[in-house]
Amino acid sequence: MKFQELQIIEPILSALKSKEYEVPTPIQLESIPILLNGEDILGSAQTGTGKTAAFAIPILQNLHQEKQKQKSPRLIKALVLAPTRELALQIHDNFKEYGKNLNLRTTVIYGGVNQSKQIKILNQGIDILIATPGRLLDLIQQKKLTLANVSYLVLDEADRMLDMGFIKDVRKIIAMIPKTRQTMLFSATIPKAIMSLANEILNQPKRVQVSPEEAMIDKIVQ
Ligand code: AMP
């Protein structure tokens, strides 16, 4: 199965080609059609399976197509929450790479660094925001950004957010996002607390599961 067969648009296909991705990974094969169709997802997948592209490609494609139908101001329409600065930066890099031929702006915010540069970029108008929960809440409380226009929400590595004590912040953030949205929750493991969060925030999700043996590295070796 090739990326073309997943109905991915040309500007994204050419970006994937320049990354030398030849075939979708199992999580991408399963998730991309579900997400392009607008459904919610509960995904059990670890890092290394290609899960970032599995949610980034459909979000980029859906936002691009919405923009083509109707020009809209740059307001935050997609929010990706990640537990750590390192993961947030990686996700941001992926969005930039897969979306390099699209007219969508992405930025990343995280704690432990000066806020002023992040605020300046936010003020220029952003379509896709990747954030760690603490810094995001801080900037919301300072009224530097609003989540009132978010229609795509991703929680990545939700179990790590739980372990790191972020779940209360995550719930606070989600309460500020409109309910008419597409929600994607990815987690390496699904303990009880994550399942109950999933039940609260997902709407009739499709369950997608990729075992570690199916990770991308193995596929490439095959
Ligand atoms: P992730 O699980 O999202 O952290 O991705 C793991 C690594 O696989 C990253 O370095 C990606 O750039 C790479 N990757 C993702 N999808 C593919 C693919 N379809 N073919 C080759 N490499 C990929």
Side-chain angles (χ1 to χ4, degrees), residues 3 16 19-28 45-55 57 87 90-91 94 97-98 156-157 216-217 220:
F3 279 109
L16 296 175
K19 289 278 295 170
E20 299 184 345
Y21 290 6
E22 287 180 4
V23 291
T25 66
I27 186 99
Q28 292 163 5
Q46 283 160 334
T47 294
T49 53
K51 70 176 160 62
T52 315
F55 63 76
I57 292 170
L87 182 63
Q90 262 178 45
I91 298 169
N94 283 337
E97 287 169 347
Y98 310 142
D156 198 13
E157 301 203 355
M216 220 243 343
I217 311 297
I220 282 180

Short mmCIF file of all heavy atoms in Angstrom, two decimals, residues 3 16 19-28 45-55 57 87 90-91 94 97-98 156-157 216-217 220, ligand 1:
data_model
loop_
_atom_site.label_atom_id
_atom_site.label_comp_id
_atom_site.label_asym_id
_atom_site.label_seq_id
_atom_site.Cartn_x
_atom_site.Cartn_y
_atom_site.Cartn_z
N PHE A 3 1.30 5.66 -0.07
CA PHE A 3 0.63 6.85 0.48
C PHE A 3 -0.44 7.37 -0.47
O PHE A 3 -1.48 7.85 -0.03
CB PHE A 3 1.67 7.94 0.77
CG PHE A 3 2.40 7.75 2.06
CD1 PHE A 3 3.74 7.38 2.09
CD2 PHE A 3 1.76 7.95 3.28
CE1 PHE A 3 4.41 7.21 3.28
CE2 PHE A 3 2.43 7.78 4.49
CZ PHE A 3 3.76 7.41 4.48
N LEU A 16 6.42 14.05 1.62
CA LEU A 16 6.78 12.71 2.14
C LEU A 16 7.86 12.09 1.24
O LEU A 16 8.77 11.41 1.72
CB LEU A 16 5.55 11.80 2.16
CG LEU A 16 4.42 12.22 3.12
CD1 LEU A 16 3.22 11.30 2.96
CD2 LEU A 16 4.91 12.20 4.57
N LYS A 19 11.14 13.28 2.11
CA LYS A 19 11.63 12.63 3.34
C LYS A 19 12.04 11.17 3.07
O LYS A 19 12.46 10.47 3.98
CB LYS A 19 10.52 12.60 4.40
CG LYS A 19 10.14 13.92 5.02
CD LYS A 19 11.06 14.34 6.14
CE LYS A 19 11.02 13.42 7.35
NZ LYS A 19 12.07 13.71 8.33
N GLU A 20 11.78 10.73 1.81
CA GLU A 20 12.08 9.35 1.40
C GLU A 20 11.25 8.32 2.16
O GLU A 20 11.71 7.20 2.41
CB GLU A 20 13.58 9.06 1.48
CG GLU A 20 14.36 9.97 0.56
CD GLU A 20 15.85 9.68 0.51
OE1 GLU A 20 16.35 8.96 1.39
OE2 GLU A 20 16.49 10.17 -0.44
N TYR A 21 10.03 8.70 2.53
CA TYR A 21 9.11 7.72 3.08
C TYR A 21 8.51 6.99 1.89
O TYR A 21 7.95 7.61 1.00
CB TYR A 21 7.95 8.39 3.82
CG TYR A 21 8.28 9.06 5.12
CD1 TYR A 21 9.58 9.19 5.58
CD2 TYR A 21 7.25 9.59 5.91
CE1 TYR A 21 9.85 9.82 6.78
CE2 TYR A 21 7.52 10.22 7.11
CZ TYR A 21 8.82 10.34 7.54
OH TYR A 21 9.07 10.98 8.73
N GLU A 22 8.61 5.67 1.86
CA GLU A 22 8.08 4.95 0.71
C GLU A 22 6.69 4.40 0.96
O GLU A 22 5.81 4.53 0.12
CB GLU A 22 9.05 3.85 0.30
CG GLU A 22 10.26 4.50 -0.37
CD GLU A 22 11.30 3.51 -0.81
OE1 GLU A 22 11.07 2.30 -0.66
OE2 GLU A 22 12.35 3.98 -1.28
N VAL A 23 6.53 3.75 2.10
CA VAL A 23 5.22 3.17 2.41
C VAL A 23 4.77 3.61 3.80
O VAL A 23 5.60 3.88 4.67
CB VAL A 23 5.24 1.62 2.36
CG1 VAL A 23 5.43 1.12 0.93
CG2 VAL A 23 6.32 1.06 3.26
N PRO A 24 3.45 3.69 3.99
CA PRO A 24 2.96 4.05 5.33
C PRO A 24 3.26 2.93 6.33
O PRO A 24 3.28 1.76 5.97
CB PRO A 24 1.45 4.18 5.14
CG PRO A 24 1.19 4.12 3.67
CD PRO A 24 2.36 3.47 3.03
N THR A 25 3.47 3.30 7.59
CA THR A 25 3.65 2.30 8.65
C THR A 25 2.26 1.78 9.05
O THR A 25 1.25 2.40 8.70
CB THR A 25 4.34 2.94 9.87
OG1 THR A 25 3.44 3.90 10.43
CG2 THR A 25 5.65 3.62 9.51
N PRO A 26 2.19 0.67 9.79
CA PRO A 26 0.87 0.12 10.17
C PRO A 26 -0.04 1.14 10.86
O PRO A 26 -1.23 1.22 10.54
CB PRO A 26 1.23 -1.04 11.10
CG PRO A 26 2.58 -1.47 10.63
CD PRO A 26 3.29 -0.23 10.20
N ILE A 27 0.51 1.93 11.77
CA ILE A 27 -0.37 2.90 12.47
C ILE A 27 -0.86 3.97 11.50
O ILE A 27 -1.99 4.45 11.59
CB ILE A 27 0.34 3.53 13.71
CG1 ILE A 27 -0.61 4.41 14.52
CG2 ILE A 27 1.52 4.37 13.36
CD1 ILE A 27 -1.18 3.76 15.69
N GLN A 28 -0.02 4.32 10.53
CA GLN A 28 -0.45 5.31 9.52
C GLN A 28 -1.53 4.72 8.62
O GLN A 28 -2.53 5.39 8.31
CB GLN A 28 0.76 5.77 8.70
CG GLN A 28 1.75 6.59 9.54
CD GLN A 28 3.13 6.72 8.94
OE1 GLN A 28 3.40 6.28 7.82
NE2 GLN A 28 4.04 7.33 9.69
N ALA A 45 0.04 3.29 20.72
CA ALA A 45 1.23 3.20 19.88
C ALA A 45 2.38 3.92 20.56
O ALA A 45 2.20 4.96 21.17
CB ALA A 45 0.96 3.85 18.53
N GLN A 46 3.54 3.30 20.43
CA GLN A 46 4.72 3.90 21.05
C GLN A 46 5.45 4.78 20.05
O GLN A 46 5.18 4.72 18.85
CB GLN A 46 5.67 2.79 21.52
CG GLN A 46 5.17 2.16 22.79
CD GLN A 46 5.74 0.80 23.04
OE1 GLN A 46 6.13 0.10 22.11
NE2 GLN A 46 5.79 0.41 24.29
N THR A 47 6.40 5.54 20.57
CA THR A 47 7.27 6.31 19.69
C THR A 47 8.08 5.32 18.86
O THR A 47 8.46 4.26 19.35
CB THR A 47 8.17 7.21 20.56
OG1 THR A 47 7.31 8.15 21.18
CG2 THR A 47 9.19 7.94 19.74
N GLY A 48 8.29 5.66 17.61
CA GLY A 48 9.03 4.75 16.72
C GLY A 48 8.11 4.03 15.76
O GLY A 48 8.56 3.38 14.82
N THR A 49 6.79 4.17 15.95
CA THR A 49 5.82 3.50 15.09
C THR A 49 5.38 4.40 13.92
O THR A 49 4.66 3.96 13.04
CB THR A 49 4.55 3.12 15.88
OG1 THR A 49 4.07 4.30 16.54
CG2 THR A 49 4.84 2.06 16.93
N GLY A 50 5.79 5.65 13.96
CA GLY A 50 5.34 6.60 12.94
C GLY A 50 4.02 7.25 13.33
O GLY A 50 3.30 7.77 12.49
N LYS A 51 3.72 7.30 14.62
CA LYS A 51 2.42 7.82 15.05
C LYS A 51 2.29 9.33 14.81
O LYS A 51 1.18 9.83 14.64
CB LYS A 51 2.14 7.46 16.51
CG LYS A 51 3.01 8.19 17.51
CD LYS A 51 2.60 7.85 18.92
CE LYS A 51 3.69 8.13 19.93
NZ LYS A 51 4.12 9.52 20.04
N THR A 52 3.41 10.04 14.82
CA THR A 52 3.29 11.49 14.63
C THR A 52 2.72 11.81 13.25
O THR A 52 1.79 12.62 13.11
CB THR A 52 4.67 12.18 14.82
OG1 THR A 52 5.27 11.63 15.98
CG2 THR A 52 4.52 13.67 14.96
N ALA A 53 3.28 11.15 12.22
CA ALA A 53 2.75 11.38 10.87
C ALA A 53 1.31 10.89 10.77
O ALA A 53 0.51 11.46 10.03
CB ALA A 53 3.62 10.67 9.84
N ALA A 54 0.97 9.87 11.54
CA ALA A 54 -0.39 9.31 11.49
C ALA A 54 -1.43 10.37 11.86
O ALA A 54 -2.53 10.38 11.32
CB ALA A 54 -0.51 8.10 12.41
N PHE A 55 -1.09 11.27 12.79
CA PHE A 55 -2.07 12.34 13.09
C PHE A 55 -1.73 13.65 12.38
O PHE A 55 -2.62 14.42 12.03
CB PHE A 55 -2.29 12.53 14.59
CG PHE A 55 -1.09 12.99 15.42
CD1 PHE A 55 -0.66 14.29 15.40
CD2 PHE A 55 -0.42 12.08 16.25
CE1 PHE A 55 0.42 14.71 16.18
CE2 PHE A 55 0.67 12.49 17.04
CZ PHE A 55 1.08 13.81 16.99
N ILE A 57 -0.43 14.23 9.30
CA ILE A 57 -0.83 14.28 7.88
C ILE A 57 -2.33 14.60 7.75
O ILE A 57 -2.69 15.54 7.03
CB ILE A 57 -0.44 12.97 7.14
CG1 ILE A 57 1.09 12.88 7.04
CG2 ILE A 57 -1.08 12.91 5.75
CD1 ILE A 57 1.61 11.52 6.55
N LEU A 87 9.60 16.11 23.04
CA LEU A 87 8.57 15.55 22.17
C LEU A 87 7.84 16.67 21.42
O LEU A 87 7.58 16.55 20.21
CB LEU A 87 7.57 14.70 22.98
CG LEU A 87 6.49 14.02 22.14
CD1 LEU A 87 7.07 13.01 21.16
CD2 LEU A 87 5.44 13.33 23.01
N GLN A 90 9.90 17.74 18.53
CA GLN A 90 9.90 16.73 17.45
C GLN A 90 8.61 16.78 16.64
O GLN A 90 8.62 16.69 15.42
CB GLN A 90 9.94 15.34 18.09
CG GLN A 90 11.30 14.71 18.15
CD GLN A 90 11.17 13.36 18.86
OE1 GLN A 90 10.27 12.55 18.59
NE2 GLN A 90 12.06 13.11 19.79
N ILE A 91 7.48 16.91 17.35
CA ILE A 91 6.18 16.97 16.67
C ILE A 91 6.13 18.21 15.77
O ILE A 91 5.70 18.16 14.63
CB ILE A 91 5.02 16.98 17.69
CG1 ILE A 91 5.02 15.70 18.52
CG2 ILE A 91 3.68 17.17 17.00
CD1 ILE A 91 4.08 15.73 19.73
N ASN A 94 8.02 17.67 12.65
CA ASN A 94 7.28 16.83 11.71
C ASN A 94 6.19 17.62 10.99
O ASN A 94 6.04 17.51 9.78
CB ASN A 94 6.65 15.63 12.44
CG ASN A 94 7.66 14.54 12.74
OD1 ASN A 94 8.70 14.44 12.09
ND2 ASN A 94 7.38 13.73 13.73
N GLU A 97 7.76 19.72 8.36
CA GLU A 97 8.26 18.95 7.21
C GLU A 97 7.12 18.48 6.31
O GLU A 97 7.14 18.68 5.10
CB GLU A 97 9.08 17.75 7.69
CG GLU A 97 10.43 18.17 8.24
CD GLU A 97 11.14 17.04 8.97
OE1 GLU A 97 10.51 16.00 9.28
OE2 GLU A 97 12.33 17.21 9.25
N TYR A 98 6.09 17.85 6.90
CA TYR A 98 5.00 17.32 6.07
C TYR A 98 4.16 18.44 5.47
O TYR A 98 3.54 18.27 4.43
CB TYR A 98 4.08 16.38 6.89
CG TYR A 98 4.81 15.32 7.66
CD1 TYR A 98 4.40 14.93 8.94
CD2 TYR A 98 5.94 14.68 7.12
CE1 TYR A 98 5.08 13.96 9.67
CE2 TYR A 98 6.62 13.71 7.85
CZ TYR A 98 6.20 13.37 9.12
OH TYR A 98 6.87 12.42 9.85
N ASP A 156 -0.83 13.55 22.89
CA ASP A 156 0.19 12.57 22.53
C ASP A 156 0.90 12.10 23.80
O ASP A 156 1.15 12.88 24.71
CB ASP A 156 1.19 13.19 21.55
CG ASP A 156 1.99 12.12 20.84
OD1 ASP A 156 1.61 10.93 20.91
OD2 ASP A 156 3.00 12.45 20.20
N GLU A 157 1.21 10.81 23.83
CA GLU A 157 1.84 10.19 25.00
C GLU A 157 1.06 10.53 26.27
O GLU A 157 1.61 11.04 27.25
CB GLU A 157 3.32 10.57 25.08
CG GLU A 157 4.05 10.12 23.81
CD GLU A 157 5.55 9.94 23.96
OE1 GLU A 157 6.12 10.24 25.02
OE2 GLU A 157 6.16 9.45 22.98
N MET A 216 8.12 0.82 13.23
CA MET A 216 8.62 1.17 11.92
C MET A 216 9.95 0.53 11.57
O MET A 216 10.16 0.06 10.47
CB MET A 216 8.79 2.66 11.94
CG MET A 216 8.40 3.29 10.69
SD MET A 216 9.74 4.04 10.00
CE MET A 216 10.85 4.15 11.30
N ILE A 217 10.84 0.51 12.55
CA ILE A 217 12.18 -0.01 12.30
C ILE A 217 12.10 -1.43 11.76
O ILE A 217 12.74 -1.77 10.77
CB ILE A 217 13.01 -0.02 13.61
CG1 ILE A 217 12.92 1.34 14.33
CG2 ILE A 217 14.45 -0.42 13.38
CD1 ILE A 217 13.48 2.52 13.56
N ILE A 220 10.96 -1.66 8.17
CA ILE A 220 11.97 -1.27 7.20
C ILE A 220 12.94 -2.43 6.98
O ILE A 220 13.30 -2.76 5.85
CB ILE A 220 12.70 0.00 7.66
CG1 ILE A 220 11.76 1.16 7.35
CG2 ILE A 220 14.03 0.18 6.97
CD1 ILE A 220 12.29 2.49 7.73
P1 AMP B 1 7.39 8.59 15.47
O1 AMP B 1 6.89 7.28 15.95
O2 AMP B 1 6.28 9.46 14.96
O3 AMP B 1 8.26 9.27 16.45
O4 AMP B 1 8.28 8.29 14.16
C1 AMP B 1 9.49 7.56 14.22
C2 AMP B 1 10.41 7.86 13.05
O5 AMP B 1 9.92 7.26 11.86
C3 AMP B 1 10.57 9.34 12.74
O6 AMP B 1 11.96 9.59 12.57
C4 AMP B 1 9.85 9.53 11.42
O7 AMP B 1 10.47 10.54 10.64
C5 AMP B 1 9.96 8.18 10.77
N1 AMP B 1 8.82 7.81 9.89
C6 AMP B 1 7.51 8.05 10.13
N2 AMP B 1 6.75 7.53 9.15
C7 AMP B 1 7.58 6.93 8.26
C8 AMP B 1 7.39 6.20 7.03
N3 AMP B 1 6.18 6.00 6.55
N4 AMP B 1 8.49 5.74 6.39
C9 AMP B 1 9.71 5.97 6.89
N5 AMP B 1 9.97 6.63 8.05
C10 AMP B 1 8.92 7.12 8.73
#
